[in-house]
Structure formats: C-alpha cells, structure tokens
C-alpha cells in the first residue's frame, strides 16, 4: 500500500482514499459517541453551523472543543462522554482539527475518520476495500502532531498486512504535546481519564466512514464484517 502522510494545509488535491486521524480527541470522542449508541455524527464546519443545525433539530446533540458553552450539550472529551446516553441520537461535532480535516477531503471516494480506538477496524476496512493508495491526514499541530502521525503510521502498517507492534506508536502518542497539555490541564473541557482513553487500542470493533448526505458530511460506524 502506498501511504502518504499530510497535514491539512498540504492537501493540494483531493485524494482517492483518505484516513483522517485525530487521536486527542475528536475521533476518539466520535468512537465513544457511537459506543454510547449514537446513530450518526454530523461534522460541522463552524461553531455557527453547529448551533444552526442544533436549532433546526433540537433533538440533536451538539458537541464542541473547549469548555461548555451556551447551545452545546457536550464537550470534546471521551472521559466526559462515556456517561452520556446517546442511543439513537444524532451528534453534531465541531472541533479545532479533526472535523476540519474530514471536511477538507469530503470529495474523496472513501473517507475514514480514525484514532487508536478504531485502528484495527480501520486497517481492516482498507484491506477489505483493496486500497492501494491512501492519504493519511495528520490533523493536529499543522500536520506535526506526533500522536496523530503515530496512529496513522500504525494503521498504515496494519493495513499493509505488517505484524506491527503497537507499543512504540502508543508510547509516542503518550509522550506527545497533546497528551502533556491534557495531563497538565492546559486544555479546557477535559477529564483526567482522557489521555488513557485516547491510548486505548481497538476499544471499538468498527471503522468510521464519512459520506455526504443532504449536503452534510455524516460519519457512521461500519463494522468490519459488513464492510
């Protein structure tokens, strides 16, 4: 498999297959939302769009980065999200990097959103689809976030059929700048367990596929046996 690893700003053309990686915390949170029963996640392009969608659909659950804010129901924290009952709900998610990266490749023929929590299912789907060329979008820190790059490289190795040991990749993520900021309380809207949850490998058995639905970018879980 030919794998490329690019930051959002480096996406000069639409890739055929894109895996958008945000470990800390957008796509760990998305995986937990599905784990808590969410039916789908709408990826919003701005806070205003998220609030507008919430206004049109009062039963939807709006989620954002940072501290709680009027109009939003949840914050971008897996530790806080794991106690939420999202069965059958639609979640609207807007984050600083992850959702931006997904929307940047919305015209790709296949868009997957990934983190360590869904790494093996993501790699398995890439293998099932026979994807020869894959662009991994490293969303954090203008493409330099080591937790995202480590996860992307791990998934790429697994997708290529390599017997890749996760330990070193998880270690890199655990010593990343994002992990330190979460541990030290620099980032608002966090839970003490967030880093540990973001480093929990293959917590969920599904990949997350984003597709266009009624002009919205919608994320849904795809279990490996049905991929």
């Amino acid at each position: 498999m030919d794998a490329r690893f690019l930051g959002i700003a480096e996406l000069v053309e639409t890739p055929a297959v894109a895996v958008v990686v945000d470990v800390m915390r957008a796509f760990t949170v998305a995986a937990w939302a599905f784990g808590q029963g969410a039916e789908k996640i709408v990826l919003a392009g701005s806070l205003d769009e998220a609030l507008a969608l919430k206004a049109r659909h009062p039963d939807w659950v709006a989620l954002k980065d940072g501290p709680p804010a009027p109009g939003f129901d949840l914050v971008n924290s897996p530790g806080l999200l794991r106690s939420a009952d999202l069965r059958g709900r639609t979640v609207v998610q807007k984050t600083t990097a992850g959702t931006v990266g997904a929307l940047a490749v919305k015209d790709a023929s296949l868009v997957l959103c990934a983190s360590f929590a869904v790494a093996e299912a993501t790699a398995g789907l890439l293998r099932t689809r026979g994807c020869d060329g894959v662009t991994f979008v490293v969303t954090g820190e203008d493409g330099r976030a080591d937790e995202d790059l480590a996860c992307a490289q791990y998934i790429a190795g697994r997708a290529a059929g390599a017997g890749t040991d996760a330990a070193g990749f998880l270690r890199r993520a655990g010593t990343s700048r994002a992990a330190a900021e979460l541990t030290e309380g620099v980032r608002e809207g966090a839970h003490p367990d967030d880093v540990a949850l973001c480093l929990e490998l293959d917590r969920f058995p599904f990949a997350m596929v984003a597709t266009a639905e009624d002009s919205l970018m919608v994320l849904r879980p795809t279990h490996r046996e049905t991929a």
Side-chain angles (χ1 to χ4, degrees):
M1 186 184 74
D2 179 21
R4 297 192 303 163
F5 305 92
L6 302 176
I8 297 171
E10 298 173 298
L11 293 165
V12 296
E13 59 185 15
T14 301
V17 178
V19 178
V20 187
V21 181
D22 191 323
V23 172
M24 297 187 189
R25 293 163 288 170
F27 297 139
T28 301
V29 166
W32 270 94
F34 290 129
Q36 295 300 103
E39 178 184 346
K40 63 183 179 182
I41 297 174
V42 176
L43 304 177
S46 68
L47 294 175
D48 287 343
E49 181 186 355
L51 289 173
L53 287 167
K54 171 73 174 179
R56 291 202 298 271
H57 306 278
D59 58 323
W60 287 11
V61 178
L63 181 157
K64 65 177 280 295
D65 269 338
F72 287 89
D73 306 287
L74 296 169
V75 295
N76 192 45
S77 160
L80 295 171
L81 191 73
R82 62 186 168 177
S83 61
D85 182 0
L86 299 175
R87 285 175 292 184
R89 306 291 294 278
T90 294
V91 174
V92 179
Q93 185 181 32
K94 168 66 179 85
T95 69
T96 305
T99 59
V100 175
L103 290 168
V105 293
K106 61 184 177 62
D107 294 326
S109 60
L110 176 63
V111 179
L112 304 178
C113 295
S115 62
F116 282 112
V118 294
E120 187 59 33
T122 303
L125 192 148
L126 292 172
R127 290 194 301 268
T128 299
R129 300 284 178 93
C131 299
D132 295 324
V134 180
T135 295
F136 289 85
V137 183
V138 179
T139 61
E141 299 178 33
D142 297 322
R144 296 187 299 274
D146 201 35
E147 74 280 4
D148 293 340
L149 181 58
C151 182
Q153 290 170 336
Y154 175 72
I155 292 172
R158 296 296 299 162
T164 307
D165 182 2
F169 298 95
L170 291 169
R171 190 177 307 113
R172 284 168 55 191
T175 57
S176 66
R177 176 181 172 183
E181 289 180 349
L182 285 168
T183 300
E184 295 164 7
V186 173
R187 299 189 182 189
E188 295 184 275
H191 186 279
D193 293 342
D194 278 355
V195 172
L197 293 173
C198 289
L199 298 178
E200 192 174 2
L201 184 67
D202 301 329
R203 175 66 177 78
F204 300 103
F206 50 78
M208 300 187 294
V209 181
T211 56
E213 297 183 21
D214 298 325
S215 77
L216 297 173
M217 192 69 167
V218 177
L219 194 61
R220 295 181 184 272
T222 300
H223 287 266
R224 189 173 175 184
E225 63 269 19
T226 60

